[in-house]
């Protein structure tokens, strides 16, 4: 995947991406330090906004007036409700409970894991015994943190929570979590290290933490500890321990060892196992170059290091191969796909029924070591339906020798390369002002930005790693801050695209500079697709 624009990362932070977009972006985040840094900045920016914005309070009689107009709502599943006898209004008022009401009230009572806001795997799990009502809350500084429900599967653990004030009004549940804010502990109260944790906002009212167990072995029972010091713009201390027991989940799980290997275009793919869990189906496979292919790529990278410096070659581009594939049943029906050009009318890879994906390198990625991938899909609904993984595309990094020299005063400048027709539209200095928690509250960050636009054929390579060299021979590292391909076409059937680059090292824009493309990721549609059964 290309690096997303800042507004796409912001949509991810706010939790408004659909599940397919979210899964693709999370896979990219795992392998892109630059986007990880950008995401961390956006999270900190959100925390700062939460501290500075004041949340409006409701009139004291607001809840009573609204409750008087409510009709009782039947819960979609068993939960501990704040009333037992009588109408909802009489019980709430008699108990002195203040309730804030919004248009999503019915969905809140029904539980977020039963709504369309979450992926289908969680909705399926919500109707099984691995879903448990928690209903624990803690209040400090007039803010209540309430954990409502828990889904504890062998592949992932998800918990939903809400944040309210002392009037019962639902607040933004954003938590700028770090390693101390949420932990998974085993039965001996020892922390499970290096666990992957994600957060998302759902329906504007619910926060959901999801803990991936993809690379965690032998965890069966323990607890999740939420320990938060800042919530809804206030400092305080909110700690909740939620018991976790995977006994039922292991009872439902089925693991099939595959031990299948194929070799495509100098890349070896080993399919290791498939894990059928309640909330997801996980496919475990390993990608590695053949020895000859690895040596050739290493030699090319060493030549680039000599030309531009190691700090230019190393940073943000993983040189590991990737595959595009689809999941089919025995009748050939496509149940999901990842990173394939599934539609000739789409200018970019698309995904369907993908929950998430993770990659684990066997050493330093720069050494071109093998990478173990675990991709998660929505589980199959028909237990008797045999599944197949069909490999149809290879994504292989290659080293490029393309470069273009231009003078800023002569822009725009158009060029063609490898399926692209691009125009360098502008190069500009940009100064950003940010607020910091320090004795110097205002920080200025100066960057130089290059913007390109144009058109590309559907399966043109991803132009990923760049460098700038000025007339004196000085080399500048470049951040690829945005590669976008749109579904809009030109008269030749090519798709509209845009590329944004930036560098923080340039003091001023030189009167002439050369833009070098260091590496790209080519798309190789396979003439012969590989179909591997996911059960034996």
């Amino acid at each position: 995947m290309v690096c997303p624009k800042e507004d796409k990362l912001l949509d991810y932070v706010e939790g408004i991406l659909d599940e397919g977009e979210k899964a693709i972006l999370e896979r990219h985040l795992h392998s892109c330090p630059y986007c990880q840094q950008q995401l961390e900045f956006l999270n900190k920016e959100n925390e700062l906004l939460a501290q500075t914005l004041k949340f409006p309070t409701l009139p004291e009689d607001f809840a009573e007036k609204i409750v008087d107009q409510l009709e009782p709502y039947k819960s979609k599943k068993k939960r501990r409700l704040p009333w037992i006898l009588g109408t909802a209004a009489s019980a709430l008022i008699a108990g002195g409970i203040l309730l804030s009401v919004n248009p999503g009230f019915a969905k809140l009572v029904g539980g977020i894991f039963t709504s369309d806001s979450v992926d289908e795997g969680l909705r399926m799990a919500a109707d099984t015994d691995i879903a448990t009502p928690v209903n624990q809350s803690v209040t400090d500084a007039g803010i209540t943190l309430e954990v409502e429900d828990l889904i504890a599967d062998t592949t992932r653990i998800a918990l939903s929570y809400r944040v309210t004030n002392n009037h019962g009004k639902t607040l933004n549940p954003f938590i700028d979590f770090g390693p101390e804010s949420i932990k998974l502990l085993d039965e001996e109260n020892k922390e499970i290290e290096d666990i992957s944790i994600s957060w998302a906002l759902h329906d504007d009212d619910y926060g959901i933490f999801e803990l991936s167990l993809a690379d965690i072995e032998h965890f069966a029972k323990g607890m999740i500890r939420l320990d938060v010091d800042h919530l809804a713009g206030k400092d305080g201390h909110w700690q909740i321990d939620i018991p976790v027991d995977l006994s039922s989940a292991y009872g439902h799980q089925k693991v099939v060892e595959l031990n299948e290997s194929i070799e495509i275009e100098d890349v070896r793919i080993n399919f290791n196992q498939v894990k059928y869990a309640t909330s997801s189906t996980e496919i475990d496979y390993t990608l590695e170059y053949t020895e000859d292919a690895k040596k050739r790529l290493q030699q090319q990278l060493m030549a680039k290091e000599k030309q531009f410096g190691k700090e230019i070659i190393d940073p943000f581009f993983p040189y590991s191969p990737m595959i595009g594939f689809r999941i089919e049943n025995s009748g050939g029906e496509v149940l999901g796909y990842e990173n394939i050009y599934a539609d000739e009318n789409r200018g970019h890879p698309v995904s369907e029924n993908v929950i998430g994906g993770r990659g684990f390198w066997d050493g330093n990625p720069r050494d071109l070591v093998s990478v173990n991938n675990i991709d998660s899909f929505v589980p199959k609904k028909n237990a008797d339906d045999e599944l197949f993984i069909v490999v149809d595309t290879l994504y292989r990094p290659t080293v490029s020798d393309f470069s273009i020299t231009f003078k800023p005063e002569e822009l725009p400048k158009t060029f063609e390369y490898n399926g692209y027709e691009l125009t360098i539209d502008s190069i500009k200095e940009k100064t950003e002002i940010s607020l910091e928690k320090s004795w110097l509250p205002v920080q200025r960050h100066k960057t130089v930005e290059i913007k390109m636009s144009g058109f590309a054929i559907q399966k043109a390579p991803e132009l990923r790693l760049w460098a700038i060299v000025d007339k004196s021979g000085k080399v500048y590292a470049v951040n690829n801050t945005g590669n976008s391909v749109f579904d809009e076409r030109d008269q030749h059937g090519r798709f509209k695209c845009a590329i944004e680059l930036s560098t923080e090292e340039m003091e001023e824009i030189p009167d002439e500079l050369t833009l070098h493309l260091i590496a790209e990721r080519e798309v190789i549609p396979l003439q012969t697709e590989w179909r591997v059964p996911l059960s034996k």
Side-chain angles (χ1 to χ4, degrees):
M1 176 187 175
V2 297
C3 279
K5 290 186 176 181
E6 182 177 345
D7 58 350
K8 183 69 70 174
L9 286 173
L10 187 58
D11 288 347
Y12 175 78
V13 170
E14 297 294 343
I16 60 177
L17 293 181
D18 62 46
E19 293 303 323
E21 290 177 314
K22 175 185 172 185
I24 295 174
L25 192 143
E26 286 179 343
R27 171 189 277 268
H28 175 76
L29 285 171
H30 180 75
S31 60
C32 182
Y34 174 75
C35 285
Q36 292 171 12
Q37 184 182 40
Q38 293 293 96
L39 188 64
E40 181 181 1
F41 175 80
L42 288 175
N43 280 329
K44 289 182 178 180
E45 187 175 60
N46 267 15
E47 180 188 16
L48 181 61
L49 288 174
Q51 288 177 333
T52 56
L53 293 177
K54 295 182 179 179
F55 295 89
T57 58
L58 297 173
E60 293 184 0
D61 62 346
F62 175 81
E64 294 182 13
K65 288 181 179 180
I66 297 298
V67 168
D68 284 339
Q69 304 174 43
L70 289 178
E71 294 180 4
Y73 174 80
K74 185 176 180 181
S75 174
K76 294 182 182 178
K77 65 177 183 176
K78 294 181 180 179
R79 297 181 67 240
R80 185 192 67 172
L81 299 176
W83 63 84
I84 300 176
L85 300 174
T87 67
S90 64
L92 286 170
I93 295 172
I97 299 174
L98 293 175
L99 174 66
S100 107
V101 180
N102 57 54
F105 175 71
K107 190 176 290 186
L108 296 180
V109 173
I112 195 67
F113 289 136
T114 65
S115 76
D116 292 336
S117 180
V118 298
D119 65 69
E120 187 177 357
L122 291 177
R123 292 199 301 274
M124 293 171 62
D127 293 328
T128 71
D129 58 356
I130 72 170
T132 307
V134 177
N135 296 322
Q136 293 188 46
S137 63
V138 60
T139 301
D140 193 16
I143 303 296
T144 297
L145 171 64
E146 179 187 4
V147 177
E148 291 201 346
D149 297 300
L150 176 75
I151 292 179
D153 204 354
T154 57
T155 55
R156 55 175 172 165
I157 301 172
L159 63 88
S160 64
Y161 70 92
R162 295 176 60 204
V163 177
T164 57
N165 64 13
N166 53 12
H167 296 293
K169 178 178 173 59
T170 300
L171 305 178
N172 188 329
F174 173 73
I175 294 177
D176 185 16
F177 67 94
E180 300 302 318
S181 301
I182 179 167
K183 298 178 180 179
L184 180 63
L185 308 174
D186 63 17
E187 289 185 277
E188 299 178 353
N189 213 36
K190 294 181 179 179
E191 182 178 359
I192 306 297
E193 300 287 347
D194 300 324
I195 192 166
S196 175
I197 303 172
S198 61
W199 178 90
L201 173 69
H202 289 266
D203 285 0
D204 296 327
D205 296 317
Y206 274 96
I208 292 182
F209 277 112
E210 190 170 313
L211 293 77
S212 172
L213 301 181
D215 55 337
I216 306 299
E217 296 182 358
H218 310 305
F219 177 81
K221 187 180 293 186
M223 72 170 61
I224 296 174
R225 173 166 293 166
L226 284 179
D227 197 344
V228 181
D229 293 326
H230 190 80
L231 195 60
K234 292 190 176 182
D235 293 327
H237 188 214
W238 298 266
Q239 180 176 315
I240 299 179
D241 290 340
I242 304 106
V244 177
D245 189 341
L246 302 185
S247 300
S248 294
Y250 277 111
H252 300 311
Q253 176 182 274
K254 177 185 177 182
V255 178
V256 178
E257 301 297 332
L258 298 177
N259 299 318
E260 295 278 350
S261 296
I262 59 177
E263 189 172 308
I264 304 171
E265 300 281 346
D266 294 329
V267 175
R268 189 175 298 110
I269 310 169
N270 301 310
F271 292 100
N272 304 318
Q273 68 171 212
V274 57
K275 183 183 294 183
Y276 296 101
T278 303
S279 70
S280 66
T281 297
E282 288 189 347
I283 303 173
D284 184 312
Y285 61 96
T286 303
L287 298 173
E288 59 184 350
Y289 290 109
T290 62
E291 286 302 316
D292 288 343
K294 183 188 294 187
K295 289 179 181 179
R296 286 197 302 270
L297 185 52
Q298 285 175 332
Q299 290 172 353
Q300 292 171 337
L301 292 175
M302 288 178 63
K304 290 295 181 183
E305 284 184 7
K306 291 180 180 179
Q307 183 178 2
F308 298 103
K310 185 175 182 179
E311 67 280 0
I312 301 294
I313 307 303
D314 273 353
F316 306 127
F317 182 68
Y319 292 92
S320 303
M322 297 169 56
I323 57 173
F325 58 88
R326 61 185 184 269
I327 305 299
E328 295 183 351
N329 61 16
S330 54
E333 179 186 4
V334 178
L335 306 180
Y337 43 81
E338 166 71 359
N339 280 339
I340 69 170
Y341 292 86
D343 187 338
E344 64 179 11
N345 295 315
R346 303 291 294 272
H348 50 83
V350 291
S351 296
E352 180 70 25
N353 290 338
V354 179
I355 297 175
R358 297 197 65 197
F360 314 93
W361 281 271
D362 184 23
N364 188 338
R366 181 60 179 78
D367 296 330
L368 307 183
V369 295
S370 62
V371 57
N372 178 229
N373 293 281
I374 300 177
D375 287 330
S376 301
F377 290 82
V378 171
K380 60 179 182 177
K381 295 181 179 179
N382 185 353
D384 298 325
D385 201 0
E386 185 177 11
L387 299 185
F388 297 83
I389 181 170
V390 183
V391 183
D392 50 41
T393 310
L394 177 67
Y395 296 83
R396 186 175 61 187
T398 59
V399 172
S400 172
D401 290 323
F402 174 78
S403 64
I404 181 168
T405 300
F406 64 94
K407 296 180 179 181
E409 62 182 19
E410 296 177 352
L411 295 181
K413 183 182 180 75
T414 301
F415 64 92
E416 294 185 1
Y417 173 73
N418 208 357
Y420 285 87
E421 183 181 302
L422 291 171
T423 298
I424 304 175
D425 296 309
S426 64
I427 177 169
K428 296 180 180 179
E429 294 182 359
K430 181 179 179 180
T431 301
E432 295 182 342
I433 299 176
S434 62
L435 302 178
E436 304 285 349
K437 292 182 181 179
S438 68
W439 63 271
L440 185 61
V442 177
Q443 299 288 334
R444 289 178 171 83
H445 305 279
K446 181 180 178 180
T447 59
V448 171
E449 295 184 341
I450 298 176
K451 293 187 177 182
M452 293 184 277
S453 62
F455 295 90
I457 62 175
Q458 187 191 51
K459 297 174 184 179
E462 175 190 353
L463 309 183
R464 190 62 185 88
L465 185 62
W466 301 78
I468 294 174
V469 179
D470 63 19
K471 287 194 303 183
S472 68
K474 184 176 180 179
V475 180
Y476 301 89
V478 172
N479 298 322
N480 193 328
T481 54
N483 272 29
S484 301
V485 180
F486 308 98
D487 295 334
E488 178 184 345
R489 294 185 184 225
D490 68 359
Q491 67 272 25
H492 304 293
R494 300 173 302 180
F495 292 92
K496 184 178 180 180
C497 62
I499 298 176
E500 295 183 5
L501 309 174
S502 69
T503 178
E504 299 178 357
E505 300 179 354
M506 195 174 289
E507 293 294 330
E508 58 182 20
I509 299 175
D511 56 10
E512 183 178 286
L513 62 159
T514 300
L515 190 59
H516 293 267
L517 178 62
I518 307 297
E520 57 193 275
R521 181 179 282 117
E522 63 178 329
V523 182
I524 305 175
L526 302 183
Q527 298 300 316
T528 301
E529 299 180 343
W530 292 85
R531 183 178 172 93
V532 178
L534 295 178
S535 60
K536 289 187 177 181

